Amino acid sequence: MPILEVKDIEKRFGLLQVLQNISFSLEKGETIAIIGSSGSGKTTLLRCLNFLERPDKGRIIVNSEVIFDAADPSTQRENEVREKRLHFGLVFQNFNLFPQYTVLKNVTLALELLANKRPDYKQRKKAIQVEIQDRARALLSQVGLSDKLDYYPHMISGGQQQRVAIARALALEPDILCFDEPTSALDPELTGEVLKVIRELAERNTTMIIVTHEMDFARDVADRVIFMDEGVIVERGSPQEVFGNPKEERTRQFLTRYNQK
């Protein structure tokens, strides 16, 4: 049974159709890479999955539960959106760290906000805070930043900031971790350190959707690849199929342009 089913998602901004009949599924422990030119709808798709945008049509199903149905207002209550977002972790292109907080605080903040809602928080406040600190420290160690806990974002490199963002997304233990072109804001020499962390997550069978322009990385890490163009899924398959023997002319043209860079 897929952990995620996306069915017939459509999204418009005014007269512009950005997504059209987007459907795919994702298995637990699987990594899907979504590739395509700028403006093909990749980021909008991730924003719809994370409820930063509301689809005009379609359904989103997680663990066999319909968490969004454009035709069913009962799945669109604003007071439930935050809870539904917890199914997905999103790592943005531009890090989106809080500049006034340390590296450690950036990771613990969301955990602390959630902990405040626990019925046992007042009784177990100190123990819960220790648990939160321990979890954040472990995640920052996982991404190679144990020595940067007390640094502020402006004191570390872009690659390190993106690794903090990955730790922050992992802290809430999402069902699915989403990346929106995680290296696009980085200098080439910093790209490798972020891709190394994502590769390690894939090796641990973390369930992921990665929007990326790093074709070699997608070929090596993804279990399946989706190619989008003009708001539709043009082609999908294993990396060997999509990169090695694409069936669609639009896919071949896109890969040819990439290989000529």
Side-chain angles (χ1 to χ4, degrees):
M1 181 68 67
I3 192 171
L4 171 68
E5 296 173 87
V6 176
K7 298 191 175 184
D8 301 318
I9 291 293
E10 295 195 356
K11 179 64 182 176
R12 288 180 176 272
F13 293 107
L15 297 177
L16 178 63
Q17 179 106 36
V18 181
L19 298 174
Q20 184 174 354
N21 294 325
I22 299 294
S23 297
F24 67 94
S25 63
L26 177 68
E27 300 292 333
K28 185 175 178 61
E30 184 180 32
T31 295
I32 286 181
I34 302 179
I35 63 173
S37 302
S38 298
S40 59
K42 308 183 301 297
T43 293
T44 299
L45 174 58
L46 286 191
R47 290 178 63 84
C48 286
L49 293 178
N50 284 271
F51 298 97
L52 298 174
E53 302 288 351
R54 182 170 297 184
D56 300 311
K57 179 185 174 185
R59 292 189 296 159
I60 300 171
I61 303 167
V62 177
N63 290 321
S64 301
E65 176 189 358
V66 177
I67 65 170
F68 178 84
D69 185 343
D72 183 358
S74 70
T75 67
Q76 302 172 40
R77 300 187 183 100
E78 290 295 333
N79 62 344
E80 297 176 1
V81 167
R82 179 175 293 180
E83 182 177 346
K84 291 177 178 181
R85 281 183 182 147
L86 294 177
H87 289 292
F88 300 89
L90 178 58
V91 178
F92 297 89
Q93 294 181 32
N94 295 311
F95 326 138
N96 284 14
L97 300 181
F98 294 104
Q100 71 272 34
Y101 295 137
T102 65
V103 163
L104 182 62
K105 184 68 173 180
N106 264 280
V107 178
T108 62
L109 184 59
L111 291 171
E112 291 166 351
L113 293 173
L114 285 176
N116 281 327
K117 297 180 179 180
R118 289 174 53 166
D120 63 341
Y121 183 70
K122 288 185 178 180
Q123 291 76 22
R124 299 188 60 246
K125 183 175 180 179
K126 287 186 178 179
I128 291 172
Q129 288 178 339
V130 169
E131 291 170 4
I132 289 172
Q133 291 284 318
D134 287 348
R135 172 155 180 76
R137 290 172 185 273
L139 286 169
L140 287 166
S141 176
Q142 181 179 323
V143 299
L145 293 174
S146 294
D147 59 338
K148 306 294 183 185
L149 304 182
D150 297 323
Y151 284 54
Y152 288 86
H154 74 274
M155 300 168 66
I156 59 178
S157 71
Q160 291 169 334
Q161 289 186 56
Q162 191 62 296
R163 284 187 276 156
V164 175
I166 293 171
R168 179 178 61 181
L170 288 169
L172 295 176
E173 299 182 301
D175 294 306
I176 301 149
L177 187 58
C178 302
F179 293 87
D180 183 13
E181 297 197 5
T183 61
S184 64
L186 300 178
D187 294 331
E189 63 267 25
L190 300 177
T191 294
E193 64 187 57
V194 173
L195 296 181
K196 179 176 180 289
V197 170
I198 301 174
R199 189 185 303 275
E200 290 170 352
L201 291 172
E203 291 171 352
R204 294 189 181 100
N205 294 321
T206 305
T207 309
M208 295 187 288
I209 300 173
I210 306 172
V211 167
T212 184
H213 60 276
E214 300 282 348
M215 298 300 113
D216 292 338
F217 178 73
R219 182 186 292 108
D220 293 342
V221 172
D223 298 295
R224 284 189 292 139
V225 176
I226 288 173
F227 170 61
M228 291 182 63
D229 189 46
E230 296 183 346
V232 301
I233 294 177
V234 176
E235 188 154 1
R236 69 186 83 199
S238 70
Q240 293 78 15
E241 291 168 335
V242 173
F243 291 111
N245 187 29
K247 299 180 179 65
E248 300 294 331
E249 179 61 27
R250 278 190 281 179
T251 313
R252 287 194 290 270
Q253 290 177 358
F254 170 78
L255 293 174
T256 297
R257 290 196 301 271
Y258 172 81
N259 290 327
Q260 290 174 344
K261 290 181 181 180

